Structures are given as C-alpha cells and as structure tokens.
Amino acid sequence: MSRVRPVPGGRAVEVEPERILGWIERFSTRHGATAISVGESTVVVTAEDGATATFPTRGGTSLQEVVDELTAPRRVGLVLVRLGGHSVGIAHGGKVEVSATDRKQVHGRIRAGGWSQQRFARRREGQARVALQAAADDVARVLVPRLPDLDSVVLGGDWQALDVLRNDRRLSGVFALAEDRVLDVPEPRRTVLDEAAERARCVEIVIQDTRATDVEPGRMDTGEGA
C-alpha cells in the first residue's frame, strides 16, 4: 500500500517501514548510485542524477538502525474529521484497539428553492457546529485519558474542521502530539479508520527530482520504478 501526494518541489509517498530498504534499492536503480546520509532527525538519499529522497527518523545512527526503529510497533491516536462526520481511535501496530465513529447531517452549500439563502446558511452553520462539537467530545473521551500511552497522533480529513478542534482547550495535549502530515481521507467511517491505522505506520518519503513534471497525466511517480 502506498499513497502519493504533491509537495513543494516534488511529491511524498507513503511506504511501509519494512519496505524502506527495498524502496531505496529501486530508487538507486532508477536514478543512479546513491549516497545516504543519516542525520539526527532525517535520512537523505541523494542519487547520481540529483534526485533526493528524504524521510524522518525516530533514532539510530545507521540506515538499518533507523529502519529497525521505524518498524517497531507504536501506539498512535487517530483523529479523522470532515464536516458532518468523524472517526477517532487508537491503533497499535496498525490495528485499531478502541474507536468512536459518528455522522451528523450537514446540508450542502446550495439548496434549490425553499428558505432564503441567509436562513439556510444559518441552519447549515448550526449543523456544522453540532457536528464539530460531537467530534471534539469523542476526541476528548477516547484520546485525552490515554495520552500518556500514545507515541503520537495522526490527523486526517479537512484542515478547517481540524482547526476548529485545535481551538478546543480540552484537546491541547492531543494536538501537541500531532504529526505534521494530515492524511487525505474520504468521509470518516470505521473502515476508513482501519485504513488510516495502517497508513499511520507508513513513513512519508519526500522525493525531489526533475522527473516529477514528466509523469503521464493521471499518474503519480513514486520513484520506485516499475
């Protein structure tokens, strides 16, 4: 399983930690012999053609030690929120241990006929407020009491909805543990939470090279080769 998203100057691909060494080998085959620099917080792989692949570490002074640390099972909080729906849980080793999922009705932005636009907008705002409050309540109930047991928190969904939760004082500890990445997910359901738990294990590798603009329309180049 891998997911790719565009980032400034390139793209980022999610790779399971146990596949990193193989991924680097394929990257080297595609771009030419590589130099690997293991830093305090990141690994940088530089190829002959100038392409680079960078990913974060959680310890280790050699590539194998880094991979060993990244492969070790971790307990991660998951917060997936989109307007009208949320799914919250705790996963260990990619498997959800406890969760809460809910959906609240929030009307779309356009409604044919009926109420005036202002009245409809007020109703929609009220529905959104109720939905986001329910999401915040579930995060507070499921994650906050278990914060001492968590290694990190992975967020997903809509940035604006997550920002509303971020302003809830009860959840300051949750967002203090949040990783920088935000998973792009559809409407949060339990099955989506299960998939997010597996993706939370993945390491995000940022690839920067001139080939990023040469990919066929509709395809994303992971840098792994065929």
Side-chain angles (χ1 to χ4, degrees), residues 79-129:
V79 178
L80 311 181
V81 183
R82 298 192 73 86
L83 194 59
H86 66 270
S87 193
V88 180
I90 294 175
H92 183 253
K95 303 297 182 182
V96 176
E97 297 179 321
V98 59
S99 69
T101 301
D102 195 10
R103 187 180 187 282
K104 304 290 184 184
Q105 184 180 39
V106 177
H107 288 297
R109 294 183 179 277
I110 300 175
R111 184 176 186 274
W115 298 329
S116 69
Q117 185 176 356
Q118 289 184 346
R119 185 179 179 187
F120 180 69
R122 286 196 299 270
R123 181 176 183 183
R124 184 177 188 277
E125 289 173 1
Q127 291 172 333
R129 196 160 44 245

Side-chain angles (χ1 to χ4, degrees), residues 135-205:
D137 289 345
D138 274 348
V139 175
R141 178 174 60 84
V142 175
L143 296 191
V144 171
R146 300 174 173 87
L147 281 177
D149 300 325
L150 300 183
D151 294 297
S152 71
V153 171
V154 174
L155 308 175
D158 180 74
W159 282 85
Q160 291 182 330
L162 288 167
D163 282 344
V164 172
L165 269 62
R166 196 185 301 272
N167 291 327
D168 190 316
R169 293 182 180 180
R170 297 174 299 168
L171 310 183
S172 60
V174 173
F175 283 92
L177 282 178
E179 299 181 10
D180 291 337
R181 60 176 168 167
V182 174
L183 302 180
D184 183 14
V185 298
E187 179 182 332
R189 299 177 183 273
R190 175 54 201 262
T191 55
V192 175
L193 187 72
D194 289 335
E195 181 181 0
E198 296 178 8
R199 292 177 65 189
R201 292 188 62 248
C202 293
V203 179
E204 190 169 71
I205 302 178

Side-chain angles (χ1 to χ4, degrees), residues 2-15 23 27 30-31 43-45 47 49-55 203-213 215 220-225:
S2 64
R3 297 292 184 92
V4 184
R5 68 181 179 90
V7 297
R11 60 224 183 266
V13 58
E14 295 173 10
V15 178
W23 188 96
F27 181 82
R30 180 169 185 148
H31 295 275
V43 171
V44 180
V45 182
D49 66 0
T52 62
T54 305
F55 59 93
V203 179
E204 190 169 71
I205 302 178
V206 175
I207 308 160
Q208 294 180 313
D209 75 272
T210 56
R211 302 185 194 190
T213 58
V215 184
M220 290 297 292
D221 182 356
T222 66
E224 297 180 80

Side-chain angles (χ1 to χ4, degrees), residues 42-77:
T42 59
V43 171
V44 180
V45 182
T46 305
E48 279 185 341
D49 66 0
T52 62
T54 305
F55 59 93
T57 72
R58 289 197 286 268
T61 57
S62 69
L63 183 59
Q64 184 60 61
E65 289 178 356
V66 167
V67 171
D68 290 343
E69 289 290 337
L70 292 173
T71 307
R74 303 165 71 236
R75 184 162 279 105
V76 177

